[in-house]
């Protein structure tokens, strides 16, 4: 098992379509140390996963916080 797979298992990220592009250590404004996992989808969406509409508006990236 690679280091990337171990990290994804640690955070319980189960999407097989995610490609981890990098991991970095940063500090928050409250002086806490955090690890940031940078990832991209390995495929392009053809329709909205929520409503199924075929028209997509791409607004860049989305940051998610895992607790």
């Amino acid at each position: 098992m690679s280091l990337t797979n171990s990290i994804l298992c640690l955070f319980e990220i189960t999407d097989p379509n995610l490609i981890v592009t990098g991991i970095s250590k940063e500090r928050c404004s409250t002086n806490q140390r955090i690890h940031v996992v940078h990832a991209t989808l390995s495929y392009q969406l053809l329709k909205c996963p929520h409503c199924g509409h075929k028209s997509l508006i791409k607004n860049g990236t989305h940051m998610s916080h895992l607790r």
Side-chain angles (χ1 to χ4, degrees):
M1 185 180 281
S2 71
L3 181 61
T4 302
N5 287 338
S6 299
I7 292 169
L8 293 177
C9 289
L10 176 68
F11 291 115
E12 296 180 359
I13 300 172
T14 58
D15 190 348
N17 299 312
L18 284 177
I19 298 175
V20 176
T21 57
I23 300 168
S24 63
K25 295 179 184 179
E26 297 179 6
R27 287 197 180 262
C28 299
S29 59
T30 59
N31 208 19
Q32 293 179 343
R33 287 182 279 172
I34 60 172
H35 290 98
V36 179
V37 178
H38 303 274
T40 58
L41 282 174
S42 63
Y43 64 93
Q44 290 187 350
L45 294 175
L46 300 176
K47 62 181 182 175
C48 177
H50 302 290
C51 68
H53 198 269
K54 292 185 180 184
S55 165
L56 288 175
I57 300 173
K58 298 177 184 176
N59 291 324
T61 61
H62 176 73
M63 181 176 285
S64 299
H65 296 282
L66 300 174
R67 303 228 182 251

